[in-house]
Amino acid sequence: MYGGRAAGTRVSAAVLGAVLLIAACSSPGDGDEGKGTGGGIGRQPGGSSPFWVNPDSAAARQVAALEQAGKPAEAEQIRKIAEQPTAEWISPENPEEQARGFTEAADAAGRTALLVLYDIPHRDCGQYSRGGAGDGDAYRAFVDAVARGIGDRAATVILEPDAVLHLVDGCTPREAHEERYTLLSEAVDRLTALENTKVYLDAGNAGWGDPDRLPDPLRRAGVERADGFAVNVSNFYSTEDSLAYGKRLSAEVGGKPFVIDTSRNGNGPYTEGDPAERWCNPPGRALGEPPTTRTADPLADAYVWVKRPGESDGECKGGPKAGQWWQDYALKLAQASPAS
């Protein structure tokens, strides 16, 4: 149910090189925190967020295109997205180069890269973001490549959205369960062994009906050795509800902290239409709280934008393929949101 780079957007070495060059040129110096360069997206967030803003994101390119087209009002709306740090979804094509490029660019800006690994075998149970590594060995190679690319640079990794939840809801084939637990646990160990990497294992969202079934699967997947877990990834549940959900899970997994995806939860969840697809490109949603480590609860390490606002959830409600930029939807999200 999640769209990102892993759902089909490729990252070329040339693009990564350009990102690094732009980031290095626009890194804030003394007294320059929060300032842009020219009309582009060069500024980094203020002191409440340690995460990196990609100056070559789809949203940033959209801002430039709208400005060139003489549409400054629309450009300013999309800028609400482009100037916030959002996650980079690592695809299986050249994962080491991607991880290295993003973390080097973030390091040049004095920031932390926020990365998502979303390549587990049997991913998304055949839905809009179906796919994933062909087998366990391919997944291990993917994780190892990402780890090599990160090296000793700062990174925060959101590990495998939906992977644990789909073990519990019966969506993942029974014969794949033991392997998935093993692969997730090994990935936690490989990534947390890196000097400056934090790992948050995905743990569903506040709308899931039976959270009491999650603690044991989370433990089997390695959450107690991770830095914590992530909630509301690519979903729309309010920050208040997500905090309550996260605290309930935390109490069952050794008091682990968590992060909340607030990227599109400004108006809460959609409550109309087919309940099975309320999560997919719902109308009337809004951007949520900007990424920050200043949260409403000490157990919440950060509010983060894991889902990249403006990218489709899948081919529903008129949307393009999962992970593709959708200008009309991005504009509606931004227009429904106050200025950052």
Side-chain angles (χ1 to χ4, degrees):
M1 64 181 287
Y2 299 108
R5 289 194 185 276
T9 305
R10 299 191 177 190
V11 182
S12 69
V15 168
L16 290 177
V19 168
L20 180 57
L21 178 62
I22 295 168
C25 292
S26 62
S27 299
D30 292 341
D32 290 335
E33 188 70 36
K35 295 182 180 179
T37 55
I41 307 301
R43 77 173 182 89
Q44 297 300 320
S48 67
S49 174
F51 302 110
W52 173 64
V53 175
N54 185 343
D56 193 43
S57 67
R61 293 193 297 273
Q62 185 70 72
V63 169
L66 288 168
E67 288 177 340
Q68 290 178 354
K71 298 180 179 179
E74 292 186 7
E76 284 308 300
Q77 291 296 325
I78 299 299
R79 191 178 290 274
K80 294 177 184 178
I81 298 172
E83 290 190 337
Q84 295 299 333
T86 56
E88 303 294 342
W89 295 60
I90 303 296
S91 71
E93 295 85 11
N94 302 315
E96 181 174 349
E97 289 80 358
Q98 292 174 61
R100 179 176 295 111
F102 292 132
T103 55
E104 285 182 348
D107 188 64
R111 297 289 170 170
T112 296
L114 179 63
L115 308 176
V116 184
L117 271 60
Y118 188 46
D119 195 41
I120 201 77
H122 309 287
R123 187 183 71 202
D124 204 33
C125 306
Q127 298 186 70
Y128 295 118
S129 295
R130 61 186 175 272
D135 57 31
D137 288 341
Y139 185 71
R140 291 182 178 96
F142 169 75
V143 173
D144 195 53
V146 171
R148 291 195 305 270
I150 294 172
D152 62 358
R153 290 174 292 278
T156 293
V157 175
I158 308 300
L159 184 60
E160 294 301 336
D162 255 358
V164 173
L165 193 65
H166 280 171
L167 288 167
V168 179
D169 67 11
C171 164
T172 301
R174 174 63 59 180
E175 61 271 19
H177 283 204
E178 288 302 319
E179 179 185 57
R180 177 168 293 187
Y181 281 124
T182 298
L183 293 175
L184 290 171
S185 182
E186 290 175 356
V188 168
D189 290 341
R190 179 68 175 95
L191 294 164
T192 56
L194 299 174
E195 183 178 357
N196 294 304
T197 295
K198 292 185 176 182
V199 180
Y200 294 87
L201 182 64
D202 185 74
N205 59 72
W208 198 63
D210 199 357
D212 290 337
R213 294 174 60 196
L214 280 174
D216 183 60
L218 284 170
R219 285 190 289 268
R220 292 182 64 186
V223 72
E224 291 174 323
R225 301 188 310 282
D227 292 275
F229 56 91
V231 303
N232 203 48
V233 171
S234 291
N235 224 300
F236 300 85
Y237 291 93
S238 70
T239 302
E240 180 181 6
D241 288 346
S242 296
L243 281 167
Y245 174 79
K247 291 168 71 174
R248 179 176 175 179
L249 280 182
S250 176
E252 300 295 327
V253 292
K256 301 297 291 190
F258 54 93
V259 297
I260 300 172
D261 184 356
T262 60
S263 56
R264 304 180 299 174
N265 73 347
N267 285 341
Y270 186 57
T271 58
E272 300 177 22
D274 181 357
E277 286 208 343
R278 286 174 177 168
W279 59 270
C280 190
N281 300 322
R285 302 309 93 194
L287 303 173
E289 290 96 332
T292 182
T293 53
R294 296 173 185 166
T295 69
D297 192 278
L299 279 173
D301 280 350
Y303 301 151
V304 288
W305 283 13
V306 183
K307 172 67 181 183
R308 294 135 68 91
E311 293 187 357
S312 177
D313 292 314
E315 295 166 282
C316 62
K317 303 181 182 70
K321 290 183 179 180
Q324 290 189 4
W325 177 257
W326 187 6
Q327 179 182 337
D328 289 346
Y329 196 80
L331 272 172
K332 290 173 183 175
L333 284 172
Q335 288 166 346
S337 312
S340 302

